[in-house]
């Protein structure tokens, strides 16, 4: 009888553990364009709801104040089941994220 109780308890613990859907995620879309000198562009999406799009370009190429300006967005599904999206710019003024869930 004790063996049945122990097996039932172990089975209940195993079934109650959170499922990690990220562990089995697959890339469902991936695109790259213009990777090289002067700038880049990429995007991807995974089966677990993660996506990202980004493009960057060199500003003031060849000058002392040369920099890169990046613009993009990423999305993911939070533990609460809500899809969160962050849009951002990263340039000489730093990383500037925006999203409905980010305090202003």
């Amino acid at each position: 009888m004790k063996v049945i109780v122990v097996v039932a308890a172990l089975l209940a613990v195993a079934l109650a553990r959170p499922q990690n859907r990220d562990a089995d995620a697959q890339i469902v879309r991936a695109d790259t364009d213009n990777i090289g000198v002067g700038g880049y562009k990429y995007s991807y999406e995974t089966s677990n709801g993660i996506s990202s799009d980004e493009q960057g370009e060199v500003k003031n190429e060849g000058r002392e104040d040369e920099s890169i300006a990046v613009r993009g967005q990423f999305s993911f599904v939070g533990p609460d089941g809500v899809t969160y999206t962050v849009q951002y710019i990263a340039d000489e003024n730093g990383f500037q994220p925006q999203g409905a869930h980010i305090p202003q």
Side-chain angles (χ1 to χ4, degrees):
M1 182 68 170
K2 289 181 183 180
V3 172
I4 293 173
V5 171
V6 170
V7 170
L10 289 174
L11 183 61
V13 169
L15 291 175
R17 74 178 168 84
Q19 300 299 314
N20 184 358
R21 65 188 213 122
D22 293 336
D24 298 321
Q26 302 286 320
I27 296 173
V28 295
R29 181 182 58 82
D31 298 307
T32 59
D33 186 30
N34 195 28
I35 302 230
V37 178
Y40 67 91
K41 183 177 180 180
Y42 76 83
S43 64
Y44 66 84
E45 184 178 346
T46 63
S47 60
N48 61 347
I50 296 172
S51 68
S52 179
D53 299 291
E54 183 175 291
Q55 61 186 19
E57 63 178 318
V58 175
K59 299 285 190 168
N60 305 319
E61 190 170 354
R63 294 180 17 189
E64 189 173 309
D65 60 343
E66 179 177 285
S67 64
I68 189 164
V70 176
R71 182 177 299 271
Q73 70 86 31
F74 60 88
S75 298
F76 62 94
V77 179
D80 55 2
V82 174
T83 298
Y84 295 92
T85 299
V86 176
Q87 296 174 332
Y88 60 88
I89 297 172
D91 57 15
E92 66 274 0
N93 297 315
F95 181 69
Q96 305 154 54
Q98 293 182 346
H101 63 288
I102 298 175
Q104 297 296 317

